[in-house]
Amino acid sequence: MIKSQKLDKSFEVLEWIFKIGILLYALFSFNSYFYGKRIISLIMWPTLLIGMIIILYKLLNYKIYKTMPGLIFIVLFTISYILSMLVNIKYGFKEGIIKLVFLLMYFFVLFLNKENISREKMKKEINVLGGIFEIYMAVCVCISFFFMFIGYTSVRTIKDGWDIGIGFLWGRLWGIFTEPNYASVCACVAIILCLYFFNMTKNKLWKIVYICNIILQVCYIAFTDSRTGKVSLAVAVTVFVFNALNYKRLHSAKLKKVKIYQIILILALVCVVTYKIPGWITASYNSYMTDFDAQEPQKRVDRGYDLKEDPSNRRFDIWKSGIEIFEKTPVVGTSFTNILAFTKENVKDSYMLNNSMNKNFSSIHNEVLNVMVSQGIIGLLILLGFIVYALNSYVKYYFKENNDEEQIFDNMTVSCLAGVFAQSMFLTGMFYSNSPAVICFWLFFGWFMINMKTKKEQ
């Protein structure tokens, strides 16, 4: 075990550099103008190198990290990932190694903390990292709407024939994000962070700024016409309201008489209204465009598919294909980066290969199914065990009494986790994606587990 004040301070500096670096890498990677450019590599490689140094430091000082709640699950999941990758190495390994490196960063740098990490350190990090996230999202969404209003559109074709839109096209707002669904989930995280900062400040001007950013982010979700974003927003806000109301019900003399069923009724209303708000915004916009600009129907928010025929927008077919692939290798799976290669050789009639889009899908568009297909029943059981463990900590300890400021912080972390997890039911999520929301997920998840353990001990 290495002990030295200078070494500890150097380690803290490296942690700061890494966390800012990995966040900037993720933000720029999902930016249409930065995607595939050299700046991504200039940020990524030094950040990953620093991350590996941090992991080595933690390994050498394992005694102060071994009590981290949930550590056993991330270790087992990593072993499961490596096992699947080795078993399927004939289909490829380079992409698998890259994905493994990012998993190590998520698990052992962002998630893994000392058990005595202070809330002050967490709050300092959220002020800096959350501030970067908020400013970036606000600026990019403003630019996106500017492109929409001036009518600027462009399309870039990337690897495997997938297109990246810039501006407003195909009946939805892409803006300057490479993928509007992932961008809308980042907007959800930005909204929850705004709610946190709003509650933490007494400055009225800043409160107005946070309200304006919330409105801006909600409008972006609306104009992307992302149902994933709407679901993520509804889940995150509903969890945020539930945590606040139920905590007050248990610890406030004024609300002690409030029954849980009353809170559930309020939550149902909050969930429905939050989900509907983006749709109301676009409906009003479309109505305006029909009345005043009927000559330009391409400016309407309308993705042009019939949800009555396929409410899942292909996801049911992809999920079904995932189960078919899983049946071919149920124990260790295909490894995530080899799903497509494995399917081409072993399930040639799969919808993943044969579909009306004439494109190959390399993800199952559901993170639980992604784990099941890529890491087999072993990976799935580890994931389900981790979920149950985390939910048990939440149910048992979240509503134990602490001060209001700590409750607001915990509420922010839990609500963001809920929103990103909801997104992962429809997209590649917290294990195999490098989106900015995933960076937030693992950082917040580590804080949440430590704070729940602290409450348990108290």
Side-chain angles (χ1 to χ4, degrees):
M1 183 172 178
I2 300 174
K3 272 194 171 183
S4 155
Q5 274 194 335
K6 286 187 178 180
L7 201 58
D8 286 344
K9 286 183 179 179
S10 299
F11 174 71
E12 286 184 13
V13 171
L14 287 179
E15 274 197 317
W16 271 110
I17 295 172
F18 173 84
K19 289 174 181 177
I20 293 172
I22 195 75
L23 180 60
L24 291 177
Y25 161 76
L27 291 170
F28 288 176
S29 293
F30 277 77
N31 184 297
S32 302
Y33 285 105
F34 292 124
Y35 183 87
K37 299 295 175 62
R38 192 175 175 217
I39 188 173
I40 303 295
S41 297
L42 292 176
I43 296 173
M44 181 183 73
W45 291 114
T47 300
L48 294 181
L49 177 60
I50 291 171
M52 296 307 293
I53 294 172
I54 292 172
I55 291 174
L56 178 61
Y57 176 89
K58 289 184 176 181
L59 189 61
L60 293 173
N61 294 273
Y62 71 95
K63 288 184 179 180
I64 59 177
Y65 294 97
K66 66 180 181 179
T67 55
M68 171 75 188
L71 176 61
I72 184 63
F73 293 103
I74 61 173
V75 170
L76 291 175
F77 193 92
T78 303
I79 294 171
S80 168
Y81 180 95
I82 294 171
L83 176 62
S84 298
M85 185 175 66
L86 292 175
V87 170
N88 294 281
I89 198 167
K90 69 175 182 177
Y91 299 108
F93 62 90
K94 181 181 177 181
E95 293 296 323
I97 292 174
I98 293 173
K99 192 66 68 177
L100 172 62
V101 170
F102 277 97
L103 265 184
L104 294 175
M105 300 297 118
Y106 298 160
F107 289 169
F108 300 104
V109 182
L110 295 177
F111 176 81
L112 183 60
N113 286 287
K114 298 176 184 177
E115 65 173 345
N116 63 347
I117 181 176
S118 67
R119 279 187 178 266
E120 286 66 32
K121 186 175 187 297
M122 296 179 192
K123 290 171 185 174
K124 188 175 180 181
E125 289 189 7
I126 198 59
N127 288 339
V128 174
L129 300 174
I132 293 171
F133 192 93
E134 291 286 348
I135 293 169
Y136 179 89
M137 287 300 298
V139 170
C140 287
V141 168
C142 285
I143 294 172
S144 298
F145 275 116
F146 175 72
F147 282 176
M148 175 182 168
F149 292 135
I150 67 174
Y152 176 82
T153 61
S154 177
V155 179
R156 289 177 61 195
T157 301
I158 60 172
K159 187 180 178 183
D160 297 326
W162 291 96
D163 296 325
I164 294 177
I166 301 175
F168 186 89
L169 66 166
W170 302 315
R172 68 193 307 198
L173 178 61
W174 287 64
I176 59 171
F177 299 97
T178 59
E179 217 287 338
N181 290 318
Y182 283 107
S184 67
V185 175
C186 288
C188 294
V189 173
I191 289 167
I192 299 299
L193 286 172
C194 278
L195 290 174
Y196 167 73
F197 289 130
F198 179 90
N199 281 287
M200 294 300 292
T201 185
K202 294 180 180 179
N203 187 300
K204 291 182 179 179
L205 180 59
W206 276 112
K207 285 182 181 288
I208 293 171
V209 170
Y210 296 134
I211 291 172
C212 290
N213 197 24
I214 288 173
I215 294 170
L216 186 66
Q217 302 301 326
V218 170
C219 287
Y220 180 76
I221 294 170
F223 281 88
T224 61
D225 196 22
S226 169
R227 287 180 300 152
T228 300
K230 293 175 188 176
V231 170
S232 182
L233 178 64
V235 170
V237 172
T238 302
V239 169
F240 189 91
V241 173
F242 170 73
N243 287 340
L245 290 180
N246 198 46
Y247 182 84
K248 288 181 179 179
R249 181 182 74 89
L250 295 171
H251 301 292
S252 170
K254 293 180 181 180
L255 296 178
K256 288 237 180 202
K257 293 182 180 180
V258 175
K259 304 298 182 185
I260 191 67
Y261 77 85
Q262 293 173 307
I263 290 180
I264 292 173
L265 290 175
I266 295 172
L267 294 177
L269 180 62
V270 168
C271 186
V272 171
V273 171
T274 306
Y275 181 85
K276 290 288 187 180
I277 284 175
W280 293 337
I281 293 172
T282 52
S284 299
Y285 168 81
N286 284 342
S287 177
Y288 172 83
M289 294 302 295
T290 300
D291 293 339
F292 295 97
D293 206 355
Q295 301 302 315
E296 298 191 70
Q298 72 273 15
K299 290 185 178 181
R300 289 169 53 86
V301 178
D302 182 6
R303 293 169 64 184
Y305 56 77
D306 186 3
L307 291 177
K308 293 178 182 177
E309 189 173 317
D310 180 13
S312 73
N313 191 23
R314 302 178 184 273
R315 284 186 175 85
F316 290 159
D317 292 318
I318 297 173
W319 295 347
K320 181 181 176 182
S321 297
I323 294 172
E324 292 170 352
I325 298 166
F326 167 75
E327 290 172 347
K328 296 289 183 180
T329 175
V331 180
V332 296
T334 65
S335 77
F336 179 74
T337 54
N338 288 323
I339 289 177
L340 184 56
F342 181 93
T343 304
K344 285 181 177 179
E345 184 169 316
N346 299 281
V347 197
K348 296 180 180 179
D349 60 344
S350 170
Y351 182 83
M352 305 273 285
L353 308 175
N354 306 289
N355 53 74
S356 57
M357 287 186 70
N358 295 317
K359 292 181 179 178
N360 296 331
F361 292 97
S362 57
S363 166
I364 313 300
H365 287 255
N366 177 293
E367 199 71 339
V368 175
L369 290 179
N370 271 336
V371 171
M372 184 180 80
V373 172
S374 60
Q375 293 177 225
I377 195 68
I378 297 174
L380 179 62
L381 290 176
I382 296 168
L383 171 60
L384 294 178
F386 202 1
I387 292 172
V388 170
Y389 179 77
L391 285 175
N392 181 63
S393 296
Y394 168 75
V395 171
K396 281 187 173 182
Y397 309 115
Y398 179 86
F399 296 103
K400 299 295 183 184
E401 189 169 7
N402 55 8
N403 65 55
D404 290 344
E405 192 173 306
E406 290 179 351
Q407 194 281 136
I408 294 169
F409 182 88
D410 290 340
N411 198 354
M412 177 271 295
T413 61
V414 172
S415 302
C416 285
L417 293 178
V420 177
F421 187 83
Q423 162 247 299
S424 73
M425 296 299 99
F426 308 100
L427 298 170
T428 301
M430 54 276 189
F431 294 107
Y432 309 119
S433 168
N434 297 334
S435 82
V438 169
I439 306 301
C440 295
F441 179 91
W442 287 107
L443 185 65
F444 297 171
F445 196 13
W447 292 344
F448 165 75
M449 295 305 297
I450 286 289
N451 289 336
M452 293 306 101
K453 182 180 179 182
T454 301
K455 283 192 173 189
K456 175 184 177 181
E457 291 170 348
Q458 290 173 347

Short mmCIF file of all heavy atoms in Angstrom, two decimals, residues 405-452:
data_model
loop_
_atom_site.label_atom_id
_atom_site.label_comp_id
_atom_site.label_asym_id
_atom_site.label_seq_id
_atom_site.Cartn_x
_atom_site.Cartn_y
_atom_site.Cartn_z
N GLU A 405 -29.94 19.44 2.17
CA GLU A 405 -28.95 19.59 1.11
C GLU A 405 -28.45 18.24 0.62
O GLU A 405 -28.30 18.02 -0.58
CB GLU A 405 -27.78 20.44 1.62
CG GLU A 405 -26.84 20.90 0.54
CD GLU A 405 -25.80 21.88 1.05
OE1 GLU A 405 -26.20 22.91 1.65
OE2 GLU A 405 -24.61 21.62 0.86
N GLU A 406 -28.21 17.33 1.52
CA GLU A 406 -27.77 15.98 1.15
C GLU A 406 -28.88 15.23 0.41
O GLU A 406 -28.62 14.47 -0.52
CB GLU A 406 -27.32 15.21 2.39
CG GLU A 406 -26.03 15.75 2.98
CD GLU A 406 -25.62 15.00 4.24
OE1 GLU A 406 -26.41 14.17 4.74
OE2 GLU A 406 -24.50 15.25 4.72
N GLN A 407 -30.13 15.44 0.85
CA GLN A 407 -31.26 14.78 0.19
C GLN A 407 -31.38 15.25 -1.26
O GLN A 407 -31.63 14.45 -2.16
CB GLN A 407 -32.55 15.07 0.96
CG GLN A 407 -33.73 14.18 0.57
CD GLN A 407 -34.40 14.60 -0.70
OE1 GLN A 407 -34.73 13.75 -1.54
NE2 GLN A 407 -34.62 15.89 -0.89
N ILE A 408 -31.17 16.55 -1.48
CA ILE A 408 -31.26 17.10 -2.84
C ILE A 408 -30.15 16.51 -3.72
O ILE A 408 -30.38 16.16 -4.88
CB ILE A 408 -31.15 18.64 -2.80
CG1 ILE A 408 -32.38 19.23 -2.09
CG2 ILE A 408 -31.05 19.21 -4.21
CD1 ILE A 408 -32.25 20.70 -1.76
N PHE A 409 -28.96 16.38 -3.14
CA PHE A 409 -27.84 15.79 -3.89
C PHE A 409 -28.15 14.33 -4.25
O PHE A 409 -27.98 13.91 -5.40
CB PHE A 409 -26.56 15.87 -3.07
CG PHE A 409 -25.34 15.33 -3.77
CD1 PHE A 409 -24.58 16.17 -4.58
CD2 PHE A 409 -24.97 14.00 -3.66
CE1 PHE A 409 -23.47 15.67 -5.26
CE2 PHE A 409 -23.86 13.50 -4.31
CZ PHE A 409 -23.11 14.34 -5.12
N ASP A 410 -28.59 13.56 -3.26
CA ASP A 410 -28.92 12.16 -3.51
C ASP A 410 -30.05 12.03 -4.54
O ASP A 410 -30.04 11.13 -5.38
CB ASP A 410 -29.34 11.47 -2.20
CG ASP A 410 -28.17 11.28 -1.25
OD1 ASP A 410 -27.02 11.31 -1.72
OD2 ASP A 410 -28.40 11.08 -0.04
N ASN A 411 -31.01 12.94 -4.47
CA ASN A 411 -32.13 12.91 -5.40
C ASN A 411 -31.64 13.14 -6.83
O ASN A 411 -32.10 12.49 -7.78
CB ASN A 411 -33.16 13.98 -5.02
CG ASN A 411 -34.51 13.73 -5.66
OD1 ASN A 411 -34.69 12.84 -6.48
ND2 ASN A 411 -35.49 14.54 -5.28
N MET A 412 -30.70 14.07 -6.99
CA MET A 412 -30.14 14.33 -8.30
C MET A 412 -29.47 13.08 -8.87
O MET A 412 -29.68 12.71 -10.03
CB MET A 412 -29.13 15.48 -8.20
CG MET A 412 -28.40 15.83 -9.49
SD MET A 412 -26.86 14.89 -9.70
CE MET A 412 -25.88 15.47 -8.34
N THR A 413 -28.66 12.39 -8.04
CA THR A 413 -27.96 11.21 -8.54
C THR A 413 -28.94 10.10 -8.91
O THR A 413 -28.83 9.50 -9.99
CB THR A 413 -26.95 10.67 -7.49
OG1 THR A 413 -27.64 10.30 -6.30
CG2 THR A 413 -25.90 11.70 -7.17
N VAL A 414 -29.91 9.84 -8.05
CA VAL A 414 -30.88 8.75 -8.30
C VAL A 414 -31.72 9.04 -9.53
O VAL A 414 -31.98 8.15 -10.36
CB VAL A 414 -31.78 8.52 -7.06
CG1 VAL A 414 -32.89 7.53 -7.39
CG2 VAL A 414 -30.95 8.01 -5.90
N SER A 415 -32.18 10.29 -9.68
CA SER A 415 -33.03 10.65 -10.81
C SER A 415 -32.28 10.54 -12.13
O SER A 415 -32.84 10.06 -13.13
CB SER A 415 -33.58 12.07 -10.62
OG SER A 415 -34.30 12.17 -9.43
N CYS A 416 -31.02 10.96 -12.14
CA CYS A 416 -30.21 10.81 -13.36
C CYS A 416 -29.99 9.33 -13.68
O CYS A 416 -30.07 8.91 -14.85
CB CYS A 416 -28.87 11.52 -13.20
SG CYS A 416 -28.98 13.32 -13.31
N LEU A 417 -29.71 8.52 -12.66
CA LEU A 417 -29.54 7.08 -12.86
C LEU A 417 -30.80 6.48 -13.46
O LEU A 417 -30.74 5.68 -14.40
CB LEU A 417 -29.22 6.39 -11.53
CG LEU A 417 -27.87 6.72 -10.87
CD1 LEU A 417 -27.75 5.99 -9.54
CD2 LEU A 417 -26.72 6.36 -11.78
N ALA A 418 -31.96 6.87 -12.94
CA ALA A 418 -33.23 6.34 -13.43
C ALA A 418 -33.47 6.73 -14.88
O ALA A 418 -33.91 5.91 -15.69
CB ALA A 418 -34.38 6.84 -12.55
N GLY A 419 -33.18 7.99 -15.22
CA GLY A 419 -33.38 8.46 -16.59
C GLY A 419 -32.48 7.75 -17.58
O GLY A 419 -32.93 7.35 -18.67
N VAL A 420 -31.21 7.57 -17.23
CA VAL A 420 -30.27 6.88 -18.14
C VAL A 420 -30.62 5.40 -18.25
O VAL A 420 -30.54 4.81 -19.33
CB VAL A 420 -28.82 7.07 -17.66
CG1 VAL A 420 -27.85 6.28 -18.56
CG2 VAL A 420 -28.45 8.54 -17.65
N PHE A 421 -31.05 4.79 -17.12
CA PHE A 421 -31.44 3.38 -17.18
C PHE A 421 -32.67 3.21 -18.06
O PHE A 421 -32.76 2.24 -18.83
CB PHE A 421 -31.73 2.85 -15.77
CG PHE A 421 -31.97 1.36 -15.73
CD1 PHE A 421 -30.91 0.48 -15.68
CD2 PHE A 421 -33.26 0.85 -15.77
CE1 PHE A 421 -31.12 -0.89 -15.66
CE2 PHE A 421 -33.49 -0.52 -15.75
CZ PHE A 421 -32.41 -1.40 -15.69
N ALA A 422 -33.62 4.13 -17.97
CA ALA A 422 -34.81 4.07 -18.83
C ALA A 422 -34.41 4.14 -20.30
O ALA A 422 -34.95 3.41 -21.14
CB ALA A 422 -35.76 5.22 -18.48
N GLN A 423 -33.46 5.01 -20.61
CA GLN A 423 -32.96 5.10 -21.98
C GLN A 423 -32.36 3.79 -22.46
O GLN A 423 -32.51 3.38 -23.61
CB GLN A 423 -31.91 6.21 -22.06
CG GLN A 423 -31.00 6.17 -23.28
CD GLN A 423 -29.55 5.86 -22.92
OE1 GLN A 423 -28.92 6.61 -22.20
NE2 GLN A 423 -29.01 4.76 -23.42
N SER A 424 -31.69 3.09 -21.54
CA SER A 424 -30.98 1.86 -21.92
C SER A 424 -31.92 0.73 -22.29
O SER A 424 -31.48 -0.29 -22.80
CB SER A 424 -30.05 1.41 -20.78
OG SER A 424 -30.79 0.87 -19.71
N MET A 425 -33.22 0.89 -22.04
CA MET A 425 -34.18 -0.12 -22.46
C MET A 425 -34.49 -0.02 -23.96
O MET A 425 -35.12 -0.91 -24.53
CB MET A 425 -35.49 0.03 -21.66
CG MET A 425 -35.35 -0.24 -20.17
SD MET A 425 -34.79 -1.93 -19.77
CE MET A 425 -33.02 -1.65 -19.48
N PHE A 426 -34.01 1.07 -24.60
CA PHE A 426 -34.32 1.28 -26.02
C PHE A 426 -33.08 1.57 -26.86
O PHE A 426 -33.16 1.60 -28.09
CB PHE A 426 -35.30 2.46 -26.17
CG PHE A 426 -36.52 2.32 -25.29
CD1 PHE A 426 -36.61 3.01 -24.09
CD2 PHE A 426 -37.56 1.49 -25.66
CE1 PHE A 426 -37.72 2.88 -23.27
CE2 PHE A 426 -38.68 1.34 -24.84
CZ PHE A 426 -38.76 2.04 -23.65
N LEU A 427 -31.95 1.78 -26.21
CA LEU A 427 -30.70 2.07 -26.90
C LEU A 427 -29.57 1.31 -26.22
O LEU A 427 -29.75 0.74 -25.15
CB LEU A 427 -30.39 3.57 -26.84
CG LEU A 427 -31.37 4.54 -27.49
CD1 LEU A 427 -31.00 5.97 -27.09
CD2 LEU A 427 -31.37 4.41 -28.99
N THR A 428 -28.39 1.33 -26.84
CA THR A 428 -27.20 0.83 -26.15
C THR A 428 -26.95 1.76 -24.96
O THR A 428 -26.97 2.98 -25.11
CB THR A 428 -25.99 0.83 -27.09
OG1 THR A 428 -26.29 0.00 -28.22
CG2 THR A 428 -24.76 0.29 -26.38
N GLY A 429 -26.74 1.18 -23.78
CA GLY A 429 -26.76 1.99 -22.57
C GLY A 429 -25.46 2.08 -21.82
O GLY A 429 -24.40 2.33 -22.39
N MET A 430 -25.53 1.78 -20.51
CA MET A 430 -24.46 2.18 -19.60
C MET A 430 -23.21 1.31 -19.66
O MET A 430 -22.20 1.67 -19.05
CB MET A 430 -24.99 2.23 -18.16
CG MET A 430 -25.65 0.97 -17.69
SD MET A 430 -27.37 0.93 -18.19
CE MET A 430 -27.97 -0.49 -17.29
N PHE A 431 -23.22 0.20 -20.37
CA PHE A 431 -22.02 -0.63 -20.45
C PHE A 431 -21.26 -0.46 -21.76
O PHE A 431 -20.04 -0.42 -21.76
CB PHE A 431 -22.39 -2.12 -20.28
CG PHE A 431 -22.92 -2.46 -18.93
CD1 PHE A 431 -24.26 -2.74 -18.74
CD2 PHE A 431 -22.09 -2.50 -17.83
CE1 PHE A 431 -24.77 -3.05 -17.49
CE2 PHE A 431 -22.58 -2.80 -16.56
CZ PHE A 431 -23.93 -3.08 -16.40
N TYR A 432 -21.97 -0.37 -22.85
CA TYR A 432 -21.32 -0.44 -24.17
C TYR A 432 -21.37 0.85 -24.96
O TYR A 432 -20.97 0.89 -26.12
CB TYR A 432 -21.95 -1.57 -24.99
CG TYR A 432 -22.01 -2.89 -24.27
CD1 TYR A 432 -23.23 -3.52 -24.01
CD2 TYR A 432 -20.85 -3.53 -23.83
CE1 TYR A 432 -23.30 -4.74 -23.36
CE2 TYR A 432 -20.91 -4.74 -23.16
CZ TYR A 432 -22.13 -5.35 -22.93
OH TYR A 432 -22.21 -6.56 -22.27
N SER A 433 -21.88 1.93 -24.36
CA SER A 433 -21.95 3.22 -25.05
C SER A 433 -20.97 4.19 -24.41
O SER A 433 -20.66 4.09 -23.22
CB SER A 433 -23.38 3.78 -24.99
OG SER A 433 -23.40 5.14 -25.39
N ASN A 434 -20.48 5.14 -25.21
CA ASN A 434 -19.57 6.17 -24.69
C ASN A 434 -20.26 7.53 -24.62
O ASN A 434 -19.60 8.57 -24.68
CB ASN A 434 -18.33 6.29 -25.59
CG ASN A 434 -17.53 5.01 -25.62
OD1 ASN A 434 -17.57 4.23 -24.68
ND2 ASN A 434 -16.80 4.79 -26.69
N SER A 435 -21.58 7.54 -24.51
CA SER A 435 -22.30 8.82 -24.52
C SER A 435 -22.03 9.60 -23.24
O SER A 435 -21.68 9.02 -22.20
CB SER A 435 -23.81 8.58 -24.67
OG SER A 435 -24.40 8.28 -23.42
N PRO A 436 -22.18 10.93 -23.28
CA PRO A 436 -21.97 11.76 -22.07
C PRO A 436 -22.86 11.34 -20.91
O PRO A 436 -22.44 11.42 -19.74
CB PRO A 436 -22.32 13.17 -22.56
CG PRO A 436 -22.09 13.13 -24.03
CD PRO A 436 -22.47 11.75 -24.47
N ALA A 437 -24.09 10.89 -21.21
CA ALA A 437 -25.00 10.47 -20.15
C ALA A 437 -24.45 9.25 -19.41
O ALA A 437 -24.68 9.09 -18.20
CB ALA A 437 -26.38 10.15 -20.73
N VAL A 438 -23.71 8.40 -20.12
CA VAL A 438 -23.12 7.20 -19.49
C VAL A 438 -22.00 7.60 -18.54
O VAL A 438 -21.84 7.00 -17.47
CB VAL A 438 -22.62 6.22 -20.57
CG1 VAL A 438 -21.78 5.11 -19.96
CG2 VAL A 438 -23.80 5.63 -21.33
N ILE A 439 -21.21 8.61 -18.91
CA ILE A 439 -20.17 9.12 -18.01
C ILE A 439 -20.81 9.58 -16.71
O ILE A 439 -20.34 9.26 -15.61
CB ILE A 439 -19.39 10.28 -18.66
CG1 ILE A 439 -18.82 9.87 -20.03
CG2 ILE A 439 -18.30 10.78 -17.73
CD1 ILE A 439 -17.88 8.71 -20.01
N CYS A 440 -21.90 10.34 -16.83
CA CYS A 440 -22.62 10.81 -15.64
C CYS A 440 -23.17 9.63 -14.85
O CYS A 440 -23.12 9.63 -13.61
CB CYS A 440 -23.77 11.74 -16.05
SG CYS A 440 -23.23 13.28 -16.81
N PHE A 441 -23.67 8.62 -15.54
CA PHE A 441 -24.27 7.46 -14.88
C PHE A 441 -23.29 6.81 -13.92
O PHE A 441 -23.60 6.59 -12.74
CB PHE A 441 -24.75 6.45 -15.92
CG PHE A 441 -25.35 5.20 -15.33
CD1 PHE A 441 -26.72 5.12 -15.10
CD2 PHE A 441 -24.56 4.10 -15.00
CE1 PHE A 441 -27.29 3.98 -14.54
CE2 PHE A 441 -25.12 2.96 -14.44
CZ PHE A 441 -26.49 2.90 -14.22
N TRP A 442 -22.09 6.49 -14.39
CA TRP A 442 -21.15 5.75 -13.55
C TRP A 442 -20.56 6.62 -12.45
O TRP A 442 -20.30 6.14 -11.34
CB TRP A 442 -20.06 5.13 -14.41
CG TRP A 442 -20.59 3.96 -15.17
CD1 TRP A 442 -20.86 3.89 -16.50
CD2 TRP A 442 -21.00 2.70 -14.61
NE1 TRP A 442 -21.40 2.66 -16.82
CE2 TRP A 442 -21.49 1.91 -15.68
CE3 TRP A 442 -20.98 2.16 -13.32
CZ2 TRP A 442 -21.97 0.62 -15.48
CZ3 TRP A 442 -21.46 0.87 -13.13
CH2 TRP A 442 -21.94 0.11 -14.20
N LEU A 443 -20.37 7.90 -12.73
CA LEU A 443 -19.90 8.81 -11.70
C LEU A 443 -20.94 8.92 -10.58
O LEU A 443 -20.62 8.77 -9.40
CB LEU A 443 -19.63 10.19 -12.31
CG LEU A 443 -19.00 11.24 -11.39
CD1 LEU A 443 -17.60 10.82 -10.98
CD2 LEU A 443 -18.97 12.59 -12.09
N PHE A 444 -22.20 9.13 -10.96
CA PHE A 444 -23.28 9.28 -9.98
C PHE A 444 -23.57 7.97 -9.26
O PHE A 444 -23.92 7.96 -8.08
CB PHE A 444 -24.55 9.78 -10.66
CG PHE A 444 -24.43 11.15 -11.27
CD1 PHE A 444 -25.44 11.67 -12.08
CD2 PHE A 444 -23.32 11.94 -11.05
CE1 PHE A 444 -25.34 12.93 -12.63
CE2 PHE A 444 -23.20 13.21 -11.61
CZ PHE A 444 -24.22 13.70 -12.40
N PHE A 445 -23.45 6.86 -9.97
CA PHE A 445 -23.72 5.56 -9.37
C PHE A 445 -22.75 5.27 -8.23
O PHE A 445 -23.13 4.76 -7.16
CB PHE A 445 -23.64 4.47 -10.45
CG PHE A 445 -24.26 3.16 -10.05
CD1 PHE A 445 -25.08 3.05 -8.93
CD2 PHE A 445 -24.05 2.02 -10.81
CE1 PHE A 445 -25.67 1.83 -8.58
CE2 PHE A 445 -24.63 0.81 -10.48
CZ PHE A 445 -25.44 0.72 -9.35
N GLY A 446 -21.47 5.60 -8.46
CA GLY A 446 -20.48 5.41 -7.40
C GLY A 446 -20.80 6.26 -6.17
O GLY A 446 -20.73 5.78 -5.04
N TRP A 447 -21.17 7.52 -6.41
CA TRP A 447 -21.54 8.39 -5.29
C TRP A 447 -22.76 7.85 -4.55
O TRP A 447 -22.80 7.85 -3.32
CB TRP A 447 -21.85 9.79 -5.81
CG TRP A 447 -20.67 10.53 -6.35
CD1 TRP A 447 -19.34 10.23 -6.16
CD2 TRP A 447 -20.70 11.70 -7.17
NE1 TRP A 447 -18.55 11.12 -6.81
CE2 TRP A 447 -19.34 12.05 -7.44
CE3 TRP A 447 -21.70 12.49 -7.72
CZ2 TRP A 447 -19.01 13.15 -8.22
CZ3 TRP A 447 -21.37 13.59 -8.49
CH2 TRP A 447 -20.04 13.91 -8.74
N PHE A 448 -23.74 7.41 -5.32
CA PHE A 448 -24.96 6.88 -4.71
C PHE A 448 -24.67 5.70 -3.79
O PHE A 448 -25.15 5.65 -2.65
CB PHE A 448 -25.94 6.47 -5.81
CG PHE A 448 -27.08 5.61 -5.33
CD1 PHE A 448 -28.14 6.16 -4.61
CD2 PHE A 448 -27.08 4.24 -5.58
CE1 PHE A 448 -29.18 5.37 -4.17
CE2 PHE A 448 -28.11 3.44 -5.13
CZ PHE A 448 -29.17 4.00 -4.42
N MET A 449 -23.87 4.75 -4.26
CA MET A 449 -23.58 3.55 -3.46
C MET A 449 -22.82 3.91 -2.19
O MET A 449 -23.10 3.36 -1.11
CB MET A 449 -22.79 2.54 -4.29
CG MET A 449 -23.54 1.96 -5.49
SD MET A 449 -25.14 1.21 -5.09
CE MET A 449 -24.66 -0.13 -4.01
N ILE A 450 -21.89 4.84 -2.29
CA ILE A 450 -21.14 5.27 -1.10
C ILE A 450 -22.07 5.97 -0.11
O ILE A 450 -22.04 5.69 1.11
CB ILE A 450 -20.00 6.24 -1.49
CG1 ILE A 450 -18.85 5.47 -2.16
CG2 ILE A 450 -19.47 6.99 -0.29
CD1 ILE A 450 -18.05 4.58 -1.25
N ASN A 451 -22.94 6.83 -0.60
CA ASN A 451 -23.85 7.56 0.29
C ASN A 451 -24.86 6.64 0.96
O ASN A 451 -25.23 6.85 2.13
CB ASN A 451 -24.57 8.66 -0.48
CG ASN A 451 -23.62 9.81 -0.85
OD1 ASN A 451 -22.60 10.01 -0.20
ND2 ASN A 451 -23.97 10.55 -1.89
N MET A 452 -25.31 5.62 0.25
CA MET A 452 -26.23 4.66 0.85
C MET A 452 -25.53 3.84 1.94
O MET A 452 -26.12 3.52 2.99
CB MET A 452 -26.83 3.72 -0.21
CG MET A 452 -27.76 4.41 -1.20
SD MET A 452 -29.12 5.35 -0.45
CE MET A 452 -28.49 7.04 -0.59
#
